[in-house]
mmCIF file of all heavy atoms in Angstrom:
data_model
loop_
_atom_site.group_PDB
_atom_site.id
_atom_site.type_symbol
_atom_site.label_atom_id
_atom_site.label_comp_id
_atom_site.label_asym_id
_atom_site.label_seq_id
_atom_site.Cartn_x
_atom_site.Cartn_y
_atom_site.Cartn_z
ATOM 1 N N ARG W 1 55.038 -40.662 -17.762
ATOM 2 C CA ARG W 1 55.751 -40.224 -16.589
ATOM 3 C C ARG W 1 55.737 -38.714 -16.456
ATOM 4 O O ARG W 1 55.429 -38.170 -15.398
ATOM 5 C CB ARG W 1 57.222 -40.640 -16.658
ATOM 6 C CG ARG W 1 58.051 -40.201 -15.413
ATOM 7 C CD ARG W 1 59.545 -40.323 -15.736
ATOM 8 N NE ARG W 1 59.882 -39.333 -16.759
ATOM 9 C CZ ARG W 1 60.809 -39.456 -17.666
ATOM 10 N NH1 ARG W 1 61.554 -40.554 -17.642
ATOM 11 N NH2 ARG W 1 61.109 -38.576 -18.515
ATOM 12 N N ASP W 2 55.931 -37.980 -17.541
ATOM 13 C CA ASP W 2 55.850 -36.507 -17.518
ATOM 14 C C ASP W 2 54.495 -35.988 -17.183
ATOM 15 O O ASP W 2 54.430 -34.998 -16.396
ATOM 16 C CB ASP W 2 56.321 -35.934 -18.898
ATOM 17 C CG ASP W 2 57.799 -36.212 -19.193
ATOM 18 O OD1 ASP W 2 58.589 -36.583 -18.206
ATOM 19 O OD2 ASP W 2 58.218 -36.069 -20.356
ATOM 20 N N ALA W 3 53.489 -36.597 -17.737
ATOM 21 C CA ALA W 3 52.072 -36.131 -17.438
ATOM 22 C C ALA W 3 51.751 -36.343 -15.978
ATOM 23 O O ALA W 3 51.180 -35.546 -15.335
ATOM 24 C CB ALA W 3 51.160 -36.932 -18.352
ATOM 25 N N VAL W 4 52.155 -37.489 -15.413
ATOM 26 C CA VAL W 4 51.891 -37.732 -13.990
ATOM 27 C C VAL W 4 52.646 -36.840 -13.066
ATOM 28 O O VAL W 4 52.122 -36.378 -12.051
ATOM 29 C CB VAL W 4 52.193 -39.238 -13.651
ATOM 30 C CG1 VAL W 4 52.174 -39.519 -12.150
ATOM 31 C CG2 VAL W 4 51.262 -40.194 -14.312
ATOM 32 N N GLN W 5 53.893 -36.461 -13.448
ATOM 33 C CA GLN W 5 54.688 -35.551 -12.663
ATOM 34 C C GLN W 5 54.155 -34.109 -12.685
ATOM 35 O O GLN W 5 54.210 -33.388 -11.655
ATOM 36 C CB GLN W 5 56.195 -35.540 -13.119
ATOM 37 C CG GLN W 5 56.944 -36.779 -12.731
ATOM 38 C CD GLN W 5 58.337 -36.773 -13.257
ATOM 39 O OE1 GLN W 5 58.760 -35.961 -14.130
ATOM 40 N NE2 GLN W 5 59.184 -37.712 -12.769
ATOM 41 N N LEU W 6 53.606 -33.757 -13.847
ATOM 42 C CA LEU W 6 53.166 -32.327 -14.029
ATOM 43 C C LEU W 6 51.817 -32.054 -13.559
ATOM 44 O O LEU W 6 51.420 -30.891 -13.267
ATOM 45 C CB LEU W 6 53.312 -31.927 -15.495
ATOM 46 C CG LEU W 6 54.735 -31.895 -16.041
ATOM 47 C CD1 LEU W 6 54.772 -31.666 -17.510
ATOM 48 C CD2 LEU W 6 55.614 -30.889 -15.307
ATOM 49 N N SER W 7 50.957 -33.049 -13.527
ATOM 50 C CA SER W 7 49.566 -32.877 -13.135
ATOM 51 C C SER W 7 49.231 -33.507 -11.806
ATOM 52 O O SER W 7 49.562 -34.746 -11.667
ATOM 53 C CB SER W 7 48.651 -33.487 -14.289
ATOM 54 O OG SER W 7 47.287 -33.319 -13.844
ATOM 55 N N PRO W 8 48.525 -32.828 -10.967
ATOM 56 C CA PRO W 8 48.148 -33.516 -9.684
ATOM 57 C C PRO W 8 46.961 -34.417 -9.898
ATOM 58 O O PRO W 8 46.631 -35.240 -9.050
ATOM 59 C CB PRO W 8 47.760 -32.332 -8.818
ATOM 60 C CG PRO W 8 47.321 -31.192 -9.761
ATOM 61 C CD PRO W 8 48.239 -31.435 -11.016
ATOM 62 N N TYR W 9 46.313 -34.343 -10.988
ATOM 63 C CA TYR W 9 45.107 -35.109 -11.330
ATOM 64 C C TYR W 9 45.491 -36.119 -12.409
ATOM 65 O O TYR W 9 45.982 -35.707 -13.501
ATOM 66 C CB TYR W 9 43.934 -34.284 -11.773
ATOM 67 C CG TYR W 9 43.640 -33.228 -10.768
ATOM 68 C CD1 TYR W 9 43.944 -31.928 -11.014
ATOM 69 C CD2 TYR W 9 42.972 -33.545 -9.565
ATOM 70 C CE1 TYR W 9 43.681 -30.914 -10.059
ATOM 71 C CE2 TYR W 9 42.643 -32.575 -8.621
ATOM 72 C CZ TYR W 9 43.107 -31.213 -8.904
ATOM 73 O OH TYR W 9 42.712 -30.269 -7.949
ATOM 74 N N VAL W 10 45.269 -37.389 -12.184
ATOM 75 C CA VAL W 10 45.514 -38.407 -13.174
ATOM 76 C C VAL W 10 44.236 -38.996 -13.606
ATOM 77 O O VAL W 10 43.393 -39.442 -12.847
ATOM 78 C CB VAL W 10 46.402 -39.541 -12.510
ATOM 79 C CG1 VAL W 10 46.589 -40.631 -13.533
ATOM 80 C CG2 VAL W 10 47.740 -38.984 -12.060
ATOM 81 N N ASP W 11 44.010 -39.052 -14.996
ATOM 82 C CA ASP W 11 42.881 -39.662 -15.599
ATOM 83 C C ASP W 11 43.126 -41.165 -15.652
ATOM 84 O O ASP W 11 43.991 -41.622 -16.510
ATOM 85 C CB ASP W 11 42.630 -39.038 -16.942
ATOM 86 C CG ASP W 11 41.461 -39.636 -17.660
ATOM 87 O OD1 ASP W 11 40.744 -40.566 -17.045
ATOM 88 O OD2 ASP W 11 41.172 -39.312 -18.831
ATOM 89 N N ASN W 12 42.528 -41.922 -14.758
ATOM 90 C CA ASN W 12 42.835 -43.352 -14.742
ATOM 91 C C ASN W 12 42.519 -44.116 -16.000
ATOM 92 O O ASN W 12 43.178 -45.000 -16.382
ATOM 93 C CB ASN W 12 42.048 -43.977 -13.554
ATOM 94 C CG ASN W 12 42.568 -43.566 -12.198
ATOM 95 O OD1 ASN W 12 43.764 -43.218 -12.133
ATOM 96 N ND2 ASN W 12 41.764 -43.507 -11.224
ATOM 97 N N ARG W 13 41.465 -43.714 -16.648
ATOM 98 C CA ARG W 13 41.076 -44.342 -17.881
ATOM 99 C C ARG W 13 42.163 -44.053 -19.007
ATOM 100 O O ARG W 13 42.575 -44.971 -19.721
ATOM 101 C CB ARG W 13 39.750 -43.797 -18.376
ATOM 102 C CG ARG W 13 39.170 -44.480 -19.641
ATOM 103 C CD ARG W 13 37.719 -44.047 -19.924
ATOM 104 N NE ARG W 13 37.243 -44.532 -21.146
ATOM 105 C CZ ARG W 13 36.642 -45.704 -21.229
ATOM 106 N NH1 ARG W 13 36.529 -46.443 -20.190
ATOM 107 N NH2 ARG W 13 36.238 -46.158 -22.444
ATOM 108 N N ALA W 14 42.620 -42.826 -19.114
ATOM 109 C CA ALA W 14 43.661 -42.498 -20.104
ATOM 110 C C ALA W 14 44.957 -43.262 -19.701
ATOM 111 O O ALA W 14 45.683 -43.747 -20.618
ATOM 112 C CB ALA W 14 43.938 -41.014 -20.159
ATOM 113 N N LEU W 15 45.318 -43.315 -18.439
ATOM 114 C CA LEU W 15 46.508 -44.040 -17.985
ATOM 115 C C LEU W 15 46.357 -45.522 -18.345
ATOM 116 O O LEU W 15 47.349 -46.114 -18.878
ATOM 117 C CB LEU W 15 46.653 -43.905 -16.512
ATOM 118 C CG LEU W 15 47.959 -44.496 -15.902
ATOM 119 C CD1 LEU W 15 49.154 -43.945 -16.537
ATOM 120 C CD2 LEU W 15 47.931 -44.232 -14.383
ATOM 121 N N ALA W 16 45.220 -46.150 -18.181
ATOM 122 C CA ALA W 16 44.988 -47.532 -18.514
ATOM 123 C C ALA W 16 45.173 -47.753 -20.047
ATOM 124 O O ALA W 16 45.763 -48.737 -20.495
ATOM 125 C CB ALA W 16 43.649 -48.012 -18.108
ATOM 126 N N HIS W 17 44.640 -46.834 -20.873
ATOM 127 C CA HIS W 17 44.784 -46.966 -22.280
ATOM 128 C C HIS W 17 46.282 -46.798 -22.695
ATOM 129 O O HIS W 17 46.758 -47.511 -23.574
ATOM 130 C CB HIS W 17 43.998 -45.868 -23.040
ATOM 131 C CG HIS W 17 42.529 -46.136 -23.040
ATOM 132 N ND1 HIS W 17 41.970 -47.278 -23.648
ATOM 133 C CD2 HIS W 17 41.517 -45.395 -22.537
ATOM 134 C CE1 HIS W 17 40.647 -47.246 -23.422
ATOM 135 N NE2 HIS W 17 40.340 -46.053 -22.824
ATOM 136 N N ALA W 18 47.054 -45.928 -22.122
ATOM 137 C CA ALA W 18 48.383 -45.768 -22.323
ATOM 138 C C ALA W 18 49.235 -46.969 -22.006
ATOM 139 O O ALA W 18 50.098 -47.503 -22.716
ATOM 140 C CB ALA W 18 48.956 -44.531 -21.678
ATOM 141 N N LEU W 19 48.906 -47.546 -20.847
ATOM 142 C CA LEU W 19 49.588 -48.826 -20.504
ATOM 143 C C LEU W 19 49.247 -49.955 -21.396
ATOM 144 O O LEU W 19 50.125 -50.769 -21.718
ATOM 145 C CB LEU W 19 49.207 -49.188 -18.999
ATOM 146 C CG LEU W 19 49.784 -48.285 -17.984
ATOM 147 C CD1 LEU W 19 49.127 -48.639 -16.623
ATOM 148 C CD2 LEU W 19 51.284 -48.388 -17.878
ATOM 149 N N LYS W 20 48.047 -50.035 -21.895
ATOM 150 C CA LYS W 20 47.632 -51.029 -22.895
ATOM 151 C C LYS W 20 48.412 -50.817 -24.205
ATOM 152 O O LYS W 20 48.882 -51.848 -24.817
ATOM 153 C CB LYS W 20 46.126 -50.997 -23.150
ATOM 154 C CG LYS W 20 45.594 -52.003 -24.150
ATOM 155 C CD LYS W 20 45.896 -53.466 -23.631
ATOM 156 C CE LYS W 20 45.428 -54.447 -24.653
ATOM 157 N NZ LYS W 20 45.835 -55.822 -24.223
ATOM 158 N N ALA W 21 48.631 -49.566 -24.574
ATOM 159 C CA ALA W 21 49.454 -49.305 -25.720
ATOM 160 C C ALA W 21 50.862 -49.802 -25.566
ATOM 161 O O ALA W 21 51.455 -50.384 -26.513
ATOM 162 C CB ALA W 21 49.409 -47.862 -26.013
ATOM 163 N N VAL W 22 51.427 -49.536 -24.391
ATOM 164 C CA VAL W 22 52.751 -50.020 -24.133
ATOM 165 C C VAL W 22 52.871 -51.544 -24.197
ATOM 166 O O VAL W 22 53.781 -52.094 -24.763
ATOM 167 C CB VAL W 22 53.239 -49.502 -22.755
ATOM 168 C CG1 VAL W 22 54.564 -50.136 -22.337
ATOM 169 C CG2 VAL W 22 53.449 -47.973 -22.776
ATOM 170 N N GLU W 23 51.872 -52.145 -23.614
ATOM 171 C CA GLU W 23 51.814 -53.617 -23.585
ATOM 172 C C GLU W 23 51.767 -54.187 -25.054
ATOM 173 O O GLU W 23 52.537 -55.059 -25.431
ATOM 174 C CB GLU W 23 50.554 -54.116 -22.824
ATOM 175 C CG GLU W 23 50.459 -55.612 -22.878
ATOM 176 C CD GLU W 23 49.105 -56.081 -22.239
ATOM 177 O OE1 GLU W 23 48.239 -55.317 -22.071
ATOM 178 O OE2 GLU W 23 49.018 -57.304 -22.063
ATOM 179 N N THR W 24 50.932 -53.538 -25.863
ATOM 180 C CA THR W 24 50.787 -54.003 -27.231
ATOM 181 C C THR W 24 52.060 -53.819 -28.003
ATOM 182 O O THR W 24 52.494 -54.758 -28.785
ATOM 183 C CB THR W 24 49.626 -53.232 -27.948
ATOM 184 O OG1 THR W 24 48.433 -53.426 -27.198
ATOM 185 C CG2 THR W 24 49.464 -53.684 -29.399
ATOM 186 N N LEU W 25 52.741 -52.666 -27.821
ATOM 187 C CA LEU W 25 53.926 -52.415 -28.567
ATOM 188 C C LEU W 25 55.076 -53.428 -28.090
ATOM 189 O O LEU W 25 55.746 -53.926 -28.926
ATOM 190 C CB LEU W 25 54.463 -51.021 -28.282
ATOM 191 C CG LEU W 25 53.669 -49.904 -28.962
ATOM 192 C CD1 LEU W 25 54.025 -48.554 -28.401
ATOM 193 C CD2 LEU W 25 53.854 -49.878 -30.446
ATOM 194 N N MET W 26 55.107 -53.756 -26.809
ATOM 195 C CA MET W 26 56.054 -54.750 -26.334
ATOM 196 C C MET W 26 55.794 -56.084 -26.866
ATOM 197 O O MET W 26 56.761 -56.811 -27.155
ATOM 198 C CB MET W 26 56.097 -54.652 -24.820
ATOM 199 C CG MET W 26 56.660 -53.366 -24.235
ATOM 200 S SD MET W 26 56.606 -53.249 -22.435
ATOM 201 C CE MET W 26 57.827 -54.549 -22.011
ATOM 202 N N GLU W 27 54.549 -56.475 -26.944
ATOM 203 C CA GLU W 27 54.194 -57.797 -27.456
ATOM 204 C C GLU W 27 54.534 -57.891 -28.921
ATOM 205 O O GLU W 27 55.041 -58.919 -29.415
ATOM 206 C CB GLU W 27 52.699 -58.097 -27.249
ATOM 207 C CG GLU W 27 52.378 -58.397 -25.830
ATOM 208 C CD GLU W 27 50.846 -58.616 -25.603
ATOM 209 O OE1 GLU W 27 50.065 -58.423 -26.628
ATOM 210 O OE2 GLU W 27 50.446 -58.955 -24.491
ATOM 211 N N MET W 28 54.312 -56.881 -29.703
ATOM 212 C CA MET W 28 54.660 -56.867 -31.108
ATOM 213 C C MET W 28 56.149 -56.870 -31.306
ATOM 214 O O MET W 28 56.691 -57.647 -32.140
ATOM 215 C CB MET W 28 54.063 -55.594 -31.814
ATOM 216 C CG MET W 28 52.521 -55.612 -31.937
ATOM 217 S SD MET W 28 51.827 -54.094 -32.557
ATOM 218 C CE MET W 28 52.455 -54.115 -34.263
ATOM 219 N N SER W 29 56.879 -56.196 -30.427
ATOM 220 C CA SER W 29 58.333 -56.249 -30.560
ATOM 221 C C SER W 29 58.893 -57.649 -30.204
ATOM 222 O O SER W 29 59.715 -58.141 -30.861
ATOM 223 C CB SER W 29 58.927 -55.243 -29.465
ATOM 224 O OG SER W 29 60.322 -55.367 -29.449
ATOM 225 N N ALA W 30 58.327 -58.249 -29.177
ATOM 226 C CA ALA W 30 58.724 -59.629 -28.826
ATOM 227 C C ALA W 30 58.404 -60.595 -29.937
ATOM 228 O O ALA W 30 59.221 -61.495 -30.227
ATOM 229 C CB ALA W 30 58.071 -60.045 -27.521
ATOM 230 N N GLY W 31 57.313 -60.396 -30.596
ATOM 231 C CA GLY W 31 56.911 -61.196 -31.755
ATOM 232 C C GLY W 31 57.889 -61.030 -32.954
ATOM 233 O O GLY W 31 58.330 -62.088 -33.527
ATOM 234 N N CYS W 32 58.294 -59.841 -33.217
ATOM 235 C CA CYS W 32 59.320 -59.621 -34.222
ATOM 236 C C CYS W 32 60.599 -60.295 -33.920
ATOM 237 O O CYS W 32 61.277 -60.929 -34.764
ATOM 238 C CB CYS W 32 59.567 -58.139 -34.420
ATOM 239 S SG CYS W 32 58.281 -57.240 -35.303
ATOM 240 N N ALA W 33 61.047 -60.176 -32.659
ATOM 241 C CA ALA W 33 62.348 -60.779 -32.277
ATOM 242 C C ALA W 33 62.242 -62.317 -32.323
ATOM 243 O O ALA W 33 63.220 -62.980 -32.730
ATOM 244 C CB ALA W 33 62.696 -60.287 -30.823
ATOM 245 N N GLU W 34 61.114 -62.850 -31.919
ATOM 246 C CA GLU W 34 60.930 -64.306 -32.040
ATOM 247 C C GLU W 34 60.947 -64.805 -33.374
ATOM 248 O O GLU W 34 61.621 -65.802 -33.673
ATOM 249 C CB GLU W 34 59.571 -64.639 -31.272
ATOM 250 C CG GLU W 34 59.293 -66.149 -31.262
ATOM 251 C CD GLU W 34 58.031 -66.493 -30.601
ATOM 252 O OE1 GLU W 34 57.381 -65.603 -30.003
ATOM 253 O OE2 GLU W 34 57.598 -67.652 -30.712
ATOM 254 N N VAL W 35 60.286 -64.087 -34.335
ATOM 255 C CA VAL W 35 60.266 -64.579 -35.760
ATOM 256 C C VAL W 35 61.708 -64.415 -36.323
ATOM 257 O O VAL W 35 62.118 -65.324 -37.023
ATOM 258 C CB VAL W 35 59.207 -63.734 -36.548
ATOM 259 C CG1 VAL W 35 59.394 -64.045 -38.051
ATOM 260 C CG2 VAL W 35 57.848 -64.071 -36.095
ATOM 261 N N ALA W 36 62.363 -63.390 -35.911
ATOM 262 C CA ALA W 36 63.799 -63.158 -36.408
ATOM 263 C C ALA W 36 64.650 -64.309 -35.928
ATOM 264 O O ALA W 36 65.447 -64.858 -36.705
ATOM 265 C CB ALA W 36 64.365 -61.859 -35.879
ATOM 266 N N HIS W 37 64.487 -64.748 -34.668
ATOM 267 C CA HIS W 37 65.238 -65.862 -34.131
ATOM 268 C C HIS W 37 64.975 -67.094 -34.882
ATOM 269 O O HIS W 37 65.914 -67.818 -35.266
ATOM 270 C CB HIS W 37 64.914 -66.049 -32.644
ATOM 271 C CG HIS W 37 65.572 -67.261 -32.026
ATOM 272 N ND1 HIS W 37 66.913 -67.339 -31.799
ATOM 273 C CD2 HIS W 37 65.072 -68.434 -31.666
ATOM 274 C CE1 HIS W 37 67.235 -68.502 -31.267
ATOM 275 N NE2 HIS W 37 66.039 -69.252 -31.215
ATOM 276 N N VAL W 38 63.722 -67.385 -35.172
ATOM 277 C CA VAL W 38 63.331 -68.585 -35.898
ATOM 278 C C VAL W 38 63.995 -68.591 -37.273
ATOM 279 O O VAL W 38 64.435 -69.602 -37.760
ATOM 280 C CB VAL W 38 61.830 -68.722 -35.954
ATOM 281 C CG1 VAL W 38 61.382 -69.804 -36.927
ATOM 282 C CG2 VAL W 38 61.256 -69.015 -34.591
ATOM 283 N N ARG W 39 63.935 -67.478 -37.922
ATOM 284 C CA ARG W 39 64.543 -67.308 -39.293
ATOM 285 C C ARG W 39 66.013 -67.478 -39.283
ATOM 286 O O ARG W 39 66.665 -68.126 -40.102
ATOM 287 C CB ARG W 39 64.125 -66.015 -39.945
ATOM 288 C CG ARG W 39 62.682 -66.019 -40.244
ATOM 289 C CD ARG W 39 62.223 -64.806 -40.966
ATOM 290 N NE ARG W 39 60.740 -64.873 -41.137
ATOM 291 C CZ ARG W 39 60.017 -63.952 -41.644
ATOM 292 N NH1 ARG W 39 60.608 -62.896 -42.202
ATOM 293 N NH2 ARG W 39 58.711 -64.057 -41.743
#
């Protein structure tokens, strides 16, 4: 968010990688919560 606000130019490839990182972290978090629930 800060990078997009501060820069008029957005590197779409870097943005896509960052979004993939967020997706991966959220999936790992959901997996941890699911395993905790099962336990």
Side-chain angles (χ1 to χ4, degrees):
R1 181 198 64 212
D2 292 345
V4 169
Q5 286 178 347
L6 295 175
S7 174
Y9 305 104
V10 176
D11 180 0
N12 290 333
R13 186 171 173 87
L15 185 60
H17 286 300
L19 288 171
K20 181 62 182 171
V22 170
E23 177 188 16
T24 301
L25 289 168
M26 291 175 68
E27 286 176 356
M28 290 174 67
S29 176
C32 284
E34 182 180 350
V35 172
H37 173 73
V38 168
R39 290 186 187 176

